[in-house]
Amino acid sequence: MDYKKYIAQRIKIQGVEEQEIYPNIVFPPNSEMGDYALPCFKFAKVLRKSPVMIAETLKERYKTDEIVTEVSAVNGYLNFKINKVGLATEVLNKILSEKESYGSSKVGAGKTICIDYSSVNIAKPFHIGHLSTTVIGSSLYKLFSFLGYKVVGINHLGDYGTQFGKLICAYKHWGNAEDVEKGGIHAINDLYVRFNNEADSQMESEARQYFRLIESGDKGANEIFEWFKSLTLKYVQGIYDKLNVKFDSFAGERFFSDKMQPVIDELRAKNLLKESDGAQIVDLEKYGMPPCLILRSDGASLYATRDLAAAYYRKNTYDFYKCLYVVAYQQNLHFQQLFKVIELMGNKWAKDLVHVPYGMVSLEDGAMSTRKGKVVWLEDVINKCIEKAYNVIEEKNPELENKDEIAEKVGVGAVIFGALYNNKIKDIVFSYDKVLSFEGETSVYVQYTCARANSVINKSGVKTKIPENYQPNCAETEVIKQLADFTDTLLDSAEKYEPSYIARYAVDLAQKYNKFYIENKILTAEGDMKDFRLALTEATLQTLKNALSLLGIGVPNKM
Ligand code: ARG
């Protein structure tokens, strides 16, 4: 049962809907005051009464029962105490019977969500700037699946554009098959950088010619292009495997080359296309935006044109309930324009398109990805994190078996968590020491807590029993309440497209469990107390595992 909801439904404030009360219910800082509380400050304006008065009145009206046993009004807060025995048995039973599926639900049944994320550019570096879209998108994928939605993960490949003409030209002049096969994406990228630095006007014009050859379906040019594409995809697949990321579709920009015309025709038929300096645009001035360019004066399509075709294709193919685009906030305008154009074309589903923006990631030493200069390859960041994790483990626990495997889980987890822990819109500075700290708000800390819980369970060697009438103490109650809040956290996180809520939840739960662990004996306790504490430990371990797995992070048994 959702206790917050139970409480919210029984608070009646005139002129305030239950849905407005529910999200305002909080955990008071210490449970002496209450288990749940409603701060009344927000309602003062509507009701034109002081928060203290509001809390007093609500307290008088609230009827206690066997679930909510006590209500008090303190300094503008309405505090609730609940039947802790009931909550504890209910929550522990639920977790220990549902296990891996604890927190899952069917709210999404019958609905499809498309998620466009990671969207790599062929033959270009897969760099640290791609970390956020990859891990945020992947985590939303897992989350929505867990909530019962059908999810379609789409990698909208950047495989269209004049740069591929340049690449082929550079390859013809300076490259050879053996080096490219061996060096893969790095060798291809070197060719591209060299072209940008050294190409003269003769080569530039050759490059345009090669691009036209690709476009017109020339076999030779397309073979080279497809080869570069397969090398890039093979390379990124290695990274996706490490990060536990998967896709259902790799329909990229090229896939839409032959699907734009009908959409352009529709724009024209609906009188939305305007000529401007020979180009075809949709005027968006009325909406405070620059025009959306559909066709260049030479007739070439643009990024937006292909996205337009892609949106139609997705709607027709998947009939989505929502279509998310996990793309950096630098593209805010692009998506505003795109969604507006689709709306102007008369499509009701335009409202179901959602840009999920995120901030930039830079490294502590100031190095950042740039067009020509220094590029921080994501692969290097992951490998460095795994290596550092190995060293930390070696130092803390040299006797440990399977150190490589554990270091991989810890290192990869740290990279993912480092990118997910903050609200996604924030720019973040990635620090190896910070993400790998055992003490901070990190995945390592959470994984370590899991290893601790696991060791308690292994040592006990008995099958878990949940006692019926055990009265939990303060620290135990804090853990129980946090456990009970998991489902709600997942729903919030999905509603706001914020995996960071899950990351924070895991850290909070780990902190609460550790406080309990330090203050209480478990294995040397007796009777119901021991049984309860073991059940609490097992339920915490299970819930932490479920939370981390939604972020794509594994949990080692030992650390
Ligand atoms: N490949 C693009 C980039 O690197 C991102 C594509 C995002 N998805 C989309 N449908 N526009 O900027």
Side-chain angles (χ1 to χ4, degrees), residues 172-455:
K172 292 274 185 183
H173 279 260
W174 304 310
N176 70 70
E178 210 180 308
D179 288 350
V180 170
E181 205 51 63
K182 216 166 67 211
I185 190 162
H186 291 90
I188 302 175
N189 182 54
D190 287 346
L191 285 171
Y192 184 63
V193 171
R194 181 157 174 205
F195 185 96
N196 283 333
N197 290 330
E198 295 177 24
D200 53 15
S201 59
Q202 166 65 27
M203 279 181 82
E204 292 283 357
S205 103
E206 270 175 47
R208 280 191 294 275
Q209 180 57 23
Y210 278 119
F211 175 61
R212 276 192 290 273
L213 284 176
I214 305 179
E215 283 304 282
S216 63
D218 174 80
K219 197 158 164 269
N222 273 289
E223 261 170 25
I224 303 180
F225 170 75
E226 288 298 331
W227 176 41
F228 288 168
K229 180 165 162 176
S230 73
L231 286 174
T232 310
L233 288 182
K234 198 169 122 205
Y235 171 82
V236 288
Q237 191 57 49
I239 298 175
Y240 291 150
D241 289 345
K242 266 205 171 125
L243 296 175
N244 295 308
V245 171
K246 64 170 197 149
F247 296 92
D248 304 293
S249 159
F250 284 87
E253 296 190 43
R254 265 200 97 62
F255 178 76
F256 297 103
S257 318
D258 60 353
K259 299 178 181 58
M260 292 181 279
Q261 199 52 48
V263 188
I264 297 170
D265 293 343
E266 188 179 330
L267 277 168
R268 191 164 286 127
K270 290 185 169 156
N271 269 330
L272 289 163
L273 274 194
K274 253 171 85 173
E275 199 190 302
S276 161
D277 292 332
Q280 297 290 322
I281 62 158
V282 178
D283 187 359
L284 297 173
E285 201 183 340
K286 254 205 250 158
Y287 310 97
M289 286 182 250
C292 181
L293 209 52
I294 303 291
L295 291 173
R296 270 206 289 260
S297 52
D298 63 0
S301 65
L302 291 105
Y303 181 52
T305 327
R306 294 183 289 276
D307 252 333
L308 204 55
Y312 267 77
Y313 177 84
R314 289 174 194 174
K315 185 63 196 173
N316 293 333
T317 310
Y318 306 112
D319 191 23
F320 55 72
Y321 157 75
K322 288 261 149 62
C323 176
L324 316 183
Y325 297 82
V326 186
V327 184
Y329 65 61
Q330 279 88 344
Q331 294 192 27
N332 279 354
L333 178 62
H334 165 74
F335 287 106
Q336 281 162 11
Q337 292 177 313
L338 178 69
F339 300 169
K340 194 46 145 188
V341 171
I342 294 173
E343 185 194 318
L344 292 174
M345 291 172 84
N347 298 300
K348 280 214 196 76
W349 50 271
K351 64 169 188 349
D352 305 326
L353 304 168
V354 186
H355 178 207
V356 180
Y358 56 83
M360 294 219 295
V361 182
S362 57
L363 282 186
E364 219 172 11
D365 60 10
M368 243 168 37
S369 56
T370 56
R371 240 162 232 268
K372 273 193 192 171
K374 258 199 296 182
V375 170
V376 183
W377 293 73
L378 183 52
E379 182 193 22
D380 295 339
V381 175
I382 298 173
N383 287 341
K384 194 160 164 185
C385 242
I386 295 176
E387 191 187 309
K388 284 187 178 247
Y390 189 94
N391 296 340
V392 176
I393 294 166
E394 177 72 39
E395 194 185 294
K396 289 213 180 230
N397 198 349
E399 316 284 79
L400 211 57
E401 281 169 35
N402 307 329
K403 271 185 277 200
D404 283 322
E405 204 181 297
I406 297 171
E408 169 131 359
K409 279 193 176 136
V410 173
V412 166
V415 175
I416 297 178
F417 207 84
L420 282 182
Y421 190 67
N422 287 294
N423 268 10
K424 59 187 185 315
I425 202 66
K426 273 201 189 155
D427 287 341
I428 53 180
V429 178
F430 190 91
S431 146
Y432 290 103
D433 292 337
K434 243 200 204 137
V435 299
L436 282 168
S437 152
F438 271 67
E439 270 105 52
E441 296 171 350
T442 60
S443 51
V444 188
Y445 173 75
V446 179
Q447 286 168 325
Y448 185 70
T449 309
C450 289
R452 172 177 266 180
N454 202 35
S455 137

